[in-house]
Amino acid sequence: MIRLTDISFGYPNADFRLQFDELSFDTGTKTAIIGPSGFGKTTLLNLISGIYLPQLGKITIDEKNLNSLSESERRSFRLLNIGFVFQDFKLLDYLTSMDNILLPYRINKVLKLNNEARKQAAKMASMLHIENKLSKYPQKLSQGERQRVAICRALIHDPSIILADEPTGNLDPENREIIMKILFEYVNHKGSTLVTVTHDHELLPEFDRIVDFKKIYKNS
Amino acid sequence: MLQSCYLAFKYITFHRGRSLVLIFSLGIIIYLPNGLKRLIHESETQIIVRAKTTPLIVGAKGSATDLVINTLYFKREKIENIPMRSMKKIQSLDFGIVIPFACMYAARGFPIVATDLEYFNFRSLTIQRGRQIAYVGECVLGSAVAERLNVDVGDSLITDSENFFDLAGVYPLKMNVVGVLKPSASHDDQAIFVDIKTNWVIMGLGHGHEDLTNNYDQSIVIARDSGGIHAGAKLYLYNSISTENMDSFHFHGEIDDFPLSSFIVIPKDHKAETILRGRFASGEFEQQMVVPEQIVNIWLESIFRIKQIFDSMFLLVGLATTLILILIVTLTLRLRKHEIYTMYTIGSSRLKIVEILSFEMIMLICVSLVFAGVLYSLTGIFVDRFINQFIL
């Protein structure tokens, strides 16, 4: 379970401040975060992942207090437990799809890159129907294929939490449907927690819970 | 670390155009000061060694530098000739070995050095293929000449025309190549050696022609009198010397008056050298005697003063380059902000990102160093050309 309590977070030299009393996400649930731009939805995902720490308040994930962890511990925790899916995919242009999928293994010693990992990547690519695109560079892929590679990268290490920041924002309706289906199937199958920031209201019925950020936002 | 190396390698190879430009620029920046330093150092060494091994040169009064450049480096400077008689005079004093020298003509751009066999002993030049010069009209090639002109023993070389419009001037002589010298890593590799008499034949002081006594074409003969047979322009002059026409070759005038560019004197001991130099200094002879090492040192001192300017320029260029490199790195980091953020978000440490970027820099610098190294090793090849084009 992810729990954020009495949160207050602001960026240095910026007027913006994200403040709320309580927000929690049960394990295995699919939550959609909606709300106007500039309300701190992406910041929330960064707080959950431990990239940022709130100036005030407490963040716990499965009873683990993120505030008490060092930066390196938070990084390892993020790498092992959280999968990120971005709106603009954030694939590295100089790596092939396979190398992009295996990127988490190459940038941190916590994950060991071995044949098992490679097989897992190939299996996942096959599940997402991009098995014949593994040697291709991102520029040679369609938008939908790029997002599938990004999803593979997010899920390759079997995370218990998936944070998706407008994952369908750059996709056509057909691909949007496919991508969300993949994410939901994965979450249902693995029992992972999915927190998705979205502006796409057509998708909302698919989620277990919808959090309207405008309503929880506490203006200081 | 292996993974960082892999990612760095992938980045460099993917952006190969950008990487190549950086490698080329860095390589040139690393190479230039070092290459030029080597070029200057090797040129200096090569020039000084040759001057040091040549004890004394005698030539016409005038520019001592031109005299030394002509005798040591075969540059056909406009120096006044001296008569053969002046050499014989020194020879008769028995102060040491005297070697005649003339460098007045060229064949296919390479200087023709006219001397005698003593010159080859003096410079320790040995024959690699063929044999030494034995007759007038024969030549021995320096190794570089043979290689560049693709000429070997048994072939022939024609001397370059001095002036196409001078109808009464020097006719090109076809010389027979009888030998090729072993490479000596000196200017001797770039010269064509002939006997001093061959030089006089090229000058027109000696020639060979049809035997007029047995000539049946009377239109050639202008007059026959007690002084001999006078022939007209129709008389055929041989333009090459062979065993068949060799006997017809003869010189007109006194050999003692025939010209030399200079002559080299190798005194038999220090005392002989001191006396000889003293006698020249006292004005006993019409010519000047120079110690090549002294002349070359003065001359190089002024030439290589420019090196100091280069050094200070390179310091400025190095400073500017460092600033540009810092700018490039900063701009690159800015351009790659999203990529760095992605890595960080996924779980990379800042240190890991620095490690990957450092590996990229190290790889680029290493390849640039290899490129600069290749250029540096190639520099040796251009030393001769550098000396000829920029120093002599």
Side-chain angles (χ1 to χ4, degrees):
Chain A
M1 183 184 194
I2 305 165
R3 184 188 294 274
L4 298 98
T5 322
D6 298 327
I7 296 296
S8 175
F9 173 82
Y11 293 101
N13 307 319
D15 293 336
F16 171 79
R17 183 155 286 276
L18 177 64
Q19 291 188 101
F20 53 86
D21 295 331
E22 175 94 19
L23 188 59
S24 59
F25 305 93
D26 289 331
T27 305
T29 57
K30 302 184 285 279
T31 308
I33 311 271
I34 57 167
S37 296
F39 265 60
K41 298 187 296 295
T42 302
T43 305
L44 175 75
L45 297 186
N46 286 335
L47 285 169
I48 295 171
S49 63
I51 292 172
Y52 300 143
L53 276 183
Q55 281 89 22
L56 291 171
K58 191 177 165 188
I59 303 169
T60 56
I61 298 176
D62 297 335
E63 305 308 317
K64 187 168 259 186
N65 185 356
L66 285 191
N67 303 54
S68 64
L69 300 178
S70 68
E71 197 193 325
S72 130
E73 286 170 330
R74 273 186 280 128
R75 198 166 48 241
S76 298
F77 177 81
R78 184 160 71 239
L79 194 71
L80 290 170
N81 299 289
I82 296 173
F84 261 104
V85 182
F86 304 94
Q87 180 185 0
D88 54 355
F89 327 127
K90 296 210 187 303
L91 298 175
L92 304 194
D93 62 348
Y94 56 90
L95 296 181
T96 59
S97 300
M98 184 57 145
D99 280 334
N100 263 300
I101 294 170
L102 291 171
L103 187 63
Y105 288 86
R106 296 196 189 275
I107 57 171
N108 202 310
K109 283 180 193 160
V110 175
L111 297 173
K112 290 274 171 276
L113 179 60
N114 49 27
N115 278 340
E116 274 303 302
R118 287 194 175 90
K119 275 182 195 164
Q120 174 68 9
K123 191 178 155 193
M124 198 155 271
S126 174
M127 278 165 59
L128 270 65
H129 310 296
I130 50 165
E131 66 273 21
N132 56 347
K133 308 284 178 185
L134 289 176
S135 58
K136 296 256 187 301
Y137 286 91
Q139 306 89 288
K140 302 280 178 191
L141 302 176
S142 68
Q143 298 284 82
E145 286 166 344
R146 285 181 205 180
Q147 191 59 299
R148 278 184 244 182
V149 173
I151 289 172
C152 278
R153 183 180 66 188
L155 307 182
I156 180 79
H157 55 290
D158 227 354
S160 56
I161 300 165
I162 298 157
L163 304 176
D165 193 356
E166 297 188 48
T168 56
N170 279 340
L171 301 178
D172 57 67
E174 192 188 337
N175 272 307
R176 185 184 63 186
E177 205 171 299
I178 293 168
I179 293 301
M180 288 318 292
K181 195 178 159 203
I182 290 165
L183 278 177
F184 289 146
E185 271 177 11
Y186 180 84
V187 169
N188 291 336
H189 179 66
K190 296 276 180 179
S192 308
T193 310
L194 173 68
V195 181
T196 306
V197 169
T198 184
H199 288 291
D200 192 342
H201 288 247
E202 282 180 34
L203 291 173
L204 296 183
E206 305 290 328
F207 288 91
D208 301 327
R209 185 179 159 214
I210 297 154
V211 175
D212 189 347
F213 225 55
K214 208 160 58 177
K215 287 178 185 162
I216 65 151
Y217 189 78
K218 197 169 87 179
N219 203 338
S220 62
Chain B
M1 197 173 274
L2 195 71
Q3 299 303 333
S4 303
C5 214
Y6 177 81
L7 290 174
F9 177 75
K10 291 294 276 184
Y11 182 84
I12 287 172
T13 49
F14 183 79
H15 298 290
R16 57 182 80 89
R18 210 182 296 172
S19 303
L20 280 175
V21 170
L22 259 176
I23 287 166
F24 179 78
S25 315
L26 272 175
I28 292 290
I29 288 161
I30 297 166
Y31 162 74
L32 266 182
N34 297 300
L36 198 71
K37 210 175 196 175
R38 182 179 172 194
L39 212 54
I40 288 173
H41 177 74
E42 285 197 10
S43 308
E44 203 173 355
T45 311
Q46 213 178 94
I47 288 169
I48 284 178
V49 163
R50 199 163 171 83
K52 269 186 179 172
T53 52
T54 312
L56 299 165
I57 295 172
V58 177
K61 282 181 179 168
S63 166
T65 309
D66 285 351
L67 177 65
V68 170
I69 288 176
N70 178 271
T71 313
L72 298 190
Y73 314 112
F74 314 144
K75 280 273 162 182
R76 292 190 296 139
E77 302 292 335
K78 290 277 174 211
I79 57 166
E80 212 177 300
N81 294 332
I82 54 170
M84 185 70 177
R85 184 183 298 105
S86 59
M87 188 192 94
K88 284 190 173 169
K89 193 172 172 185
I90 301 295
Q91 215 162 20
S92 66
L93 297 173
D94 197 25
F95 280 116
I97 298 165
V98 181
I99 303 168
F101 182 90
C103 180
M104 302 170 183
Y105 302 102
R108 290 172 69 181
F110 287 95
I112 296 172
V113 171
T115 184
D116 64 14
L117 294 179
E118 201 58 61
Y119 182 87
F120 298 92
N121 294 332
F122 164 61
R123 294 273 188 226
S124 306
L125 300 172
T126 50
I127 294 286
Q128 189 173 47
R129 297 190 293 280
R131 59 168 173 81
Q132 254 304 354
I133 307 160
Y135 301 102
V136 177
E138 290 179 344
C139 68
V140 161
L141 308 181
S143 57
V145 178
E147 195 188 316
R148 280 188 214 158
L149 296 183
N150 196 22
V151 173
D152 216 321
V153 177
D155 296 334
S156 56
L157 270 177
I158 298 172
T159 60
D160 295 345
S161 290
E162 290 298 296
N163 189 345
F164 287 111
F165 307 104
D166 182 8
L167 295 177
V170 177
Y171 288 98
L173 177 72
K174 191 176 171 185
M175 301 179 294
N176 304 315
V177 179
V178 293
V180 175
L181 295 171
K182 270 187 191 165
S184 61
S186 72
H187 275 74
D188 295 313
D189 292 344
Q190 296 167 40
I192 299 161
F193 293 92
V194 296
D195 185 79
I196 192 73
K197 284 177 184 161
T198 306
N199 191 66
W200 295 331
V201 171
I202 300 168
M203 284 185 96
L205 297 172
H207 60 227
H209 49 74
E210 298 171 81
D211 183 3
L212 287 171
T213 50
N214 296 320
N215 188 276
Y216 299 104
D217 185 357
Q218 292 305 311
S219 63
I220 295 171
V221 179
I222 296 171
R224 288 174 196 267
D225 54 32
S226 54
I229 304 166
H230 302 270
K234 199 180 174 186
L235 178 70
Y236 180 76
L237 290 170
Y238 298 120
N239 67 349
S240 67
I241 306 170
S242 62
T243 42
E244 288 82 40
N245 66 22
M246 194 176 289
D247 291 339
S248 77
F249 271 82
H250 52 276
F251 292 95
H252 292 271
E254 279 295 312
I255 293 279
D256 281 358
D257 293 331
F258 285 3
L260 296 175
S261 302
S262 60
F263 57 89
I264 297 166
V265 181
I266 309 156
K268 53 186 171 190
D269 51 31
H270 186 64
K271 187 183 167 191
E273 183 184 339
T274 312
I275 294 170
L276 201 54
R277 285 176 67 183
R279 289 178 70 172
F280 266 91
S282 69
E284 183 184 335
F285 301 97
E286 284 172 34
Q287 293 77 29
Q288 65 168 331
M289 173 174 270
V290 295
V291 181
E293 193 186 350
Q294 287 174 2
I295 305 295
V296 164
N297 276 334
I298 296 166
W299 171 53
L300 284 183
E301 209 172 282
S302 55
I303 284 181
F304 289 122
R305 210 166 287 152
I306 202 159
K307 188 176 166 282
Q308 290 169 350
I309 300 169
F310 274 129
D311 285 346
S312 49
M313 269 169 66
F314 281 130
L315 201 73
L316 281 173
V317 171
L319 193 74
T321 309
T322 313
L323 290 174
I324 288 171
L325 277 178
I326 292 170
L327 190 72
I328 290 172
V329 172
T330 316
L331 289 174
T332 306
L333 289 179
R334 195 171 288 183
L335 271 173
R336 296 172 70 183
K337 195 171 67 181
H338 294 295
E339 176 196 331
I340 291 167
Y341 174 74
T342 305
M343 284 202 204
Y344 181 70
T345 310
I346 291 171
S348 172
S349 67
R350 286 190 180 89
L351 197 70
K352 188 77 182 172
I353 293 166
V354 170
E355 189 180 278
I356 294 166
L357 296 174
S358 303
F359 268 118
E360 283 173 20
M361 284 302 289
I362 289 167
M363 281 180 190
L364 285 172
I365 290 170
C366 283
V367 181
S368 304
L369 279 171
V370 171
F371 174 57
V374 170
L375 289 179
Y376 188 79
S377 57
L378 287 175
T379 304
I381 301 169
F382 299 106
V383 171
D384 287 341
R385 201 168 293 174
F386 180 78
I387 293 173
N388 283 326
Q389 282 194 354
F390 298 105
I391 299 179
L392 296 179

